[in-house]
Amino acid sequence: MGCSGHLPLGRPQRVSAPCFQEIREKGKRERREPVKLQLHSMALWESISLDRSSAMVNEPRGLGGPQPHSEGSSSGGESSRDSSRCSTPGLDPERHERLREKMRRRMGSGDKWFSLEFFPPRTAHGAVNLISRFDRMGAGGPLFIDVTWHPAGDPGSDKETSSMVIASTAVNYCGLETVLHMTCCQQSRETITGHLHKAKQLGLKNILALRGDPLGDQWEEAEGGFNYAVDLVKHIRSYPKGHPDAGSLEEDLRHLREKVSAGADFVISQLFFEADTFFHFLKACSEIGITCPILPGIFPIQGYHSLRQLVKLSKLEVPQKIKDVIEPIKDNDAAIRNYGVELAVSLCRELLASGLVPGLHFYTLNREVATTEVLKRLGMWNEDPRRPLPWAVSAHPKRREEDVRPIFWASRPKSYIYRTQEWDDFPNGRWGNSSSPAFGELRDYYLFYLKSKSPREELLKMWGEELASETSVFEVFAHYLSGEPNQQGHRVTCLPWNDEPLAAETSLLKEELLRVNRQGILTINSQPNINGKPSSDPIVGWGPSGGYVFQKAYLEFFTSRETVEALLQVLKKYDLRVNYHIVDVKGENITNAPELQPNAVTWGIFPGREIIQPTVVDPVSFMFWKDEAFALWMEQWGKLYEEGSPSRKVIQHIQDNYFLVNLVDNEFPLDNCLWQVVEDTFELLHGPVPSKREPAAP
């Protein structure tokens, strides 16, 4: 739990968390009867952490489950705790810890951390960019991020720019521990209760509850609402120099002490420019009996106008020596940003060297360059190449036990999370025999966290302003794999099935993939065979240290009916070694795999643990995936072109007539045979391929 006594943009006053009927933190805590909120659902939550402006609410454990099932109800009689699927310990202990537990463990080890603050964007395009920024900045290892609450922007709604949706996306689709700000500004008790219920359902277990800004010049109390932070959770926020609205620093500190006594686990300060300001605040807190961790709020100066606005809103005083440096370069954004980085690095080093701060909290203003540079200079940016699992995890509490997924969504993890969001239980330990996974429909391909980060104009430059034939499409796939510019000089950095750069392990297959894509085997997913590589391997490794990982070779692609007919003839020679699924857009399915039986294609062995098999080829899931995979041809590519245009007809023809194929080579200790399968198919189609040493006959 944590309490942040800050507001980056100097909002007047944060209100603490609502007073819940049961707060199970360090024994019983005093409640003020006149202000208790009847949030009965909160009695189920593990704890509430308060800060001078915030309170974080943690959800209970034990929501993981054994298998997918339909319509949100259990498909079997056994509970997730009793199932054999839950017998395997989690690979990543932090997935099972509450935020306060993570903090205490890091403090106990002396490991400093950082956290990041963002605000909701104004536009849908801004939301797409912000989620991409979450992915990039999340790679550096923040302990948590927090998302601010803006009453004027309908923050509790389902709009893609709302605070609630942005924070939910960070948790569910980016896998980040997330704290959602929530204010009582012009909100009734019932409205606040509704927001908290919604946050809980969305997996937001940490709430930073604040008073918030007045929408006008004066604070107006909502009917049936709250007026002061004390009215909500017995704590009011305080700043290093005191809250701007407080009568004195002493008064502010008394309110903060009251808040900490009510259960705050940590405090986050307002931004400041000199370390002595923060040290003075720490000393004053200590003298009044406040002993919880206090995080300094760091703001790297990134521009002249943003600094002026921030100072105006927060009523801060900028030291004269900083003004003297900035004024002469106020029109040079790069120079100001460089100075801001140097200033922040120096400030952070002084704070860390004191031994008085457990971590640093950065006000990013939704920008990444300056904050990332500061963290790298401090040695706190930690891009660990090892993955806890081979796929991107979600931080939703009910997915904490999840450690098995079908391989088909390897490049579209956000889509998989979206389509399984209604499941109550998730596979743990093994996938099992699932006859009805009940994946949700993906009707809206333009949900902001699923759509391409590239605008239409960029996609056309990459995928072709005009497509002359299917061969034009083959070349797009080839340029994506090679990284070389296309004929128009543009690099192809994404495809409809993969909006991210190529996975590192694709480099192990690059030459073969290029060769087959140019001949009409349009690959959208692949992995090499691996036989006992260390889990620390920078390319294929995952899981804890000291383990070994294994993979079966896998290849998934679109190809023509003619190629499929030849492929089926070739596959007869590999019947026991190669499993295959071949399906068209209408659902015509050809397979030699056992009905309803998943095939583990990735697994790992780790000290003191059972075998983990996080990736499977599941025949039932494949039929749900094929709907999405085929639809992406038109939804994200074909619709770039005018209806009836030749280019659109090319994509429509591929969607209507091609097949989606997946192949698994079960003999993982041997050389990958799938390339030979494809070569034999081409030979059957076109005749023997001339040897490189013997020129073809004229």
Side-chain angles (χ1 to χ4, degrees):
M1 322 188 325
C3 70
S4 88
H6 72 289
L7 235 165
L9 298 181
R11 299 161 218 160
Q13 184 180 21
R14 295 187 174 182
V15 158
S16 309
C19 208
F20 301 124
Q21 291 200 323
E22 288 184 23
I23 301 180
R24 294 170 296 181
E25 282 290 285
K26 304 175 185 175
K28 292 186 177 178
R29 301 223 170 107
E30 174 185 357
R31 292 202 313 270
R32 218 176 252 186
E33 288 301 322
V35 292
K36 63 183 178 183
L37 269 178
Q38 301 300 325
L39 303 183
H40 301 294
S41 67
M42 293 305 167
L44 301 175
W45 295 16
E46 288 179 337
S47 61
I48 168 175
S49 67
L50 316 175
D51 78 12
R52 34 181 199 171
S53 48
S54 71
M56 298 195 311
V57 182
N58 296 313
E59 241 188 335
R61 304 177 179 226
L63 294 178
Q67 64 183 25
H69 52 281
S70 61
E71 299 179 359
S73 62
S74 176
S75 60
E78 59 183 4
S79 71
S80 62
R81 292 179 182 270
D82 297 330
S83 169
S84 62
R85 292 183 178 179
C86 291
S87 61
T88 303
L91 292 178
D92 184 6
E94 284 204 1
R95 291 179 70 192
H96 302 265
E97 290 182 325
R98 290 168 286 185
L99 180 54
R100 60 172 187 160
E101 294 170 343
K102 295 178 184 179
M103 286 187 173
R104 289 171 180 172
R105 180 168 51 79
R106 298 283 283 269
M107 290 173 64
S109 66
D111 184 16
K112 306 298 183 184
W113 73 78
F114 69 91
S115 51
L116 306 169
E117 182 160 304
F118 301 91
F119 60 84
R122 295 179 180 272
T123 65
H125 183 66
V128 174
N129 291 337
L130 182 58
I131 299 310
S132 299
R133 188 164 293 117
F134 285 169
D135 287 335
R136 292 191 297 272
M137 299 192 76
L143 186 65
F144 66 90
I145 71 164
D146 63 316
V147 178
T148 62
W149 183 272
H150 293 284
D154 201 3
S157 73
D158 293 328
K159 295 178 181 177
E160 53 200 4
T161 55
S162 74
S163 301
M164 187 78 74
V165 170
I166 292 294
S168 171
T169 302
V171 166
N172 289 284
Y173 300 100
C174 302
L176 296 171
E177 183 83 60
T178 303
V179 177
L180 171 65
H181 294 208
M182 193 175 292
T183 76
C184 60
C185 179
Q186 293 194 350
Q187 296 190 102
S188 67
R189 301 185 184 202
E190 292 75 16
T191 300
I192 294 171
T193 301
H195 289 327
L196 290 169
H197 277 294
K198 184 174 183 178
K200 179 176 182 290
Q201 293 172 347
L202 292 172
L204 292 163
K205 55 185 177 177
N206 304 311
I207 300 295
L208 198 65
L210 322 166
R211 172 187 167 188
D213 297 329
L215 296 183
D217 294 334
Q218 300 294 325
W219 177 269
E220 295 182 9
E221 182 178 0
E223 183 177 352
F226 300 94
N227 197 28
Y228 297 104
V230 168
D231 294 337
L232 280 176
V233 265
K234 299 176 60 179
H235 72 277
I236 194 169
R237 122 182 166 178
S238 73
Y239 296 98
K241 286 194 173 181
H243 191 285
D245 293 341
S248 66
L249 175 61
E250 291 73 20
E251 177 188 348
D252 203 23
L253 288 172
R254 286 195 298 273
H255 288 308
L256 179 58
R257 181 179 61 184
E258 182 181 4
K259 211 166 36 169
V260 171
S261 298
D265 282 332
F266 67 97
V267 171
I268 303 176
S269 82
Q270 157 89 322
L271 63 92
F272 54 93
F273 297 104
E274 295 176 314
D276 284 345
T277 302
F278 184 74
F279 294 148
H280 174 74
F281 177 65
L282 284 182
K283 184 173 183 292
C285 288
S286 176
E287 290 174 348
I288 204 171
I290 299 171
T291 59
C292 69
I294 300 177
L295 303 183
I298 307 299
F299 171 68
I301 298 172
Q302 302 178 59
Y304 181 75
H305 295 292
S306 62
L307 177 62
R308 287 188 62 187
Q309 182 69 5
L310 188 74
V311 169
K312 178 181 177 181
L313 291 174
S314 60
K315 304 178 184 178
L316 285 173
E317 297 177 8
V318 179
Q320 187 61 44
K321 62 181 180 180
I322 295 179
K323 294 180 182 178
D324 292 342
V325 173
I326 288 180
E327 280 296 330
I329 59 174
K330 63 182 181 182
D331 296 323
N332 188 333
D333 287 344
I336 288 183
R337 184 172 59 248
N338 291 337
Y339 172 69
V341 168
E342 293 294 335
L343 189 68
V345 169
S346 175
L347 174 63
C348 291
R349 283 176 174 162
E350 188 173 354
L351 293 169
L352 293 170
S354 71
L356 299 174
V357 298
L360 305 170
H361 186 75
F362 286 84
Y363 301 118
T364 69
L365 295 188
N366 287 11
R367 301 177 186 176
E368 62 187 289
V369 175
T371 298
T372 301
E373 178 64 22
V374 171
L375 289 165
K376 287 181 176 179
R377 294 267 296 273
L378 295 172
M380 297 179 71
W381 186 266
N382 180 30
E383 289 196 40
D384 189 347
R386 288 186 305 170
R387 305 164 290 174
L389 288 162
W391 31 263
V393 301
S394 169
H396 194 295
K398 73 178 182 179
R399 301 187 87 114
R400 281 183 288 202
E401 303 291 340
E402 179 186 26
D403 63 9
V404 187
R405 288 183 189 173
I407 194 172
F408 318 121
W409 285 270
S411 298
R412 287 178 60 81
K414 291 180 174 65
S415 172
Y416 179 81
I417 292 169
Y418 175 79
R419 296 189 68 179
T420 58
Q421 62 183 320
E422 299 301 327
W423 292 1
D424 289 335
D425 304 316
F426 293 87
N428 171 250
R430 61 185 179 88
W431 182 262
N433 184 333
S434 59
S435 58
S436 181
F439 288 87
E441 294 295 326
L442 191 63
R443 295 188 179 92
D444 189 350
Y445 290 85
Y446 299 100
L447 294 168
F448 75 96
Y449 40 80
L450 298 180
K451 68 184 297 186
S452 175
K453 295 185 289 290
S454 302
R456 178 178 181 273
E457 296 73 19
E458 289 298 319
L459 294 177
L460 285 171
K461 290 176 182 178
M462 290 189 284
W463 300 346
E465 299 279 355
E466 294 183 2
L467 301 174
S469 66
E470 294 165 55
T471 304
S472 303
V473 175
F474 300 173
E475 286 302 310
V476 173
F477 277 75
H479 283 294
Y480 174 62
L481 289 163
S482 70
E484 297 174 356
N486 59 22
Q487 291 183 344
Q488 289 71 41
H490 301 287
R491 296 187 185 277
V492 180
T493 60
C494 66
L495 290 174
W497 305 268
N498 191 351
D499 203 44
E500 303 295 336
L502 290 170
E505 66 179 359
T506 304
S507 63
L508 304 176
L509 307 171
K510 187 174 181 178
E511 183 179 340
E512 293 86 353
L513 289 169
L514 270 171
R515 185 171 66 253
V516 302
N517 274 269
R518 288 192 170 114
Q519 298 180 75
I521 299 287
L522 305 178
T523 59
I524 61 172
N525 198 351
S526 61
Q527 71 176 28
N529 59 310
I530 301 295
N531 186 20
K533 284 275 190 179
S535 60
S536 58
D537 186 273
I539 296 178
V540 299
W542 55 273
S545 300
Y548 294 90
V549 297
F550 301 80
Q551 292 181 176
K552 295 177 182 177
Y554 177 77
L555 194 63
E556 184 179 338
F557 54 89
F558 290 100
T559 196
S560 67
R561 179 176 293 273
E562 181 185 24
T563 303
V564 164
E565 291 172 351
L567 175 63
L568 285 169
Q569 294 298 315
V570 171
L571 285 170
K572 292 178 181 178
K573 299 186 297 184
Y574 297 88
D575 193 46
L576 295 179
R577 179 168 178 176
V578 177
N579 283 129
Y580 59 85
H581 296 82
I582 303 172
V583 65
D584 67 3
V585 69
K586 297 177 182 178
E588 179 187 341
N589 185 29
I590 308 169
T591 181
N592 69 340
E595 185 179 5
L596 305 182
Q597 290 298 320
N599 185 353
V601 291
T602 307
W603 63 98
I605 301 174
F606 305 95
R609 304 174 188 267
E610 295 181 4
I611 294 175
I612 305 295
Q613 53 173 52
T615 310
V616 299
V617 170
D618 174 54
V620 177
S621 302
F622 183 61
M623 298 302 288
F624 286 93
W625 162 246
K626 70 91 180 169
D627 293 335
E628 180 175 339
F630 274 106
L632 287 168
W633 278 107
M634 286 302 297
E635 293 294 337
Q636 293 203 9
W637 195 338
K639 289 183 178 180
L640 295 176
Y641 309 106
E642 293 294 330
E643 189 171 355
S645 65
S647 297
R648 187 159 179 167
K649 288 179 179 178
V650 168
I651 300 299
Q652 187 72 65
H653 172 80
I654 292 175
Q655 183 190 53
D656 291 344
N657 295 282
Y658 275 40
F659 284 77
L660 180 62
V661 179
N662 73 59
L663 305 175
V664 178
D665 180 2
N666 292 300
E667 294 287 356
F668 65 91
L670 306 180
D671 288 342
N672 181 355
C673 76
L674 300 184
W675 306 119
Q676 190 60 52
V677 169
V678 175
E679 291 301 328
D680 291 350
T681 300
F682 289 149
E683 183 173 334
L684 187 59
L685 275 172
H686 310 299
V689 179
S691 169
K692 293 181 180 179
R693 288 182 254 173
E694 299 177 8

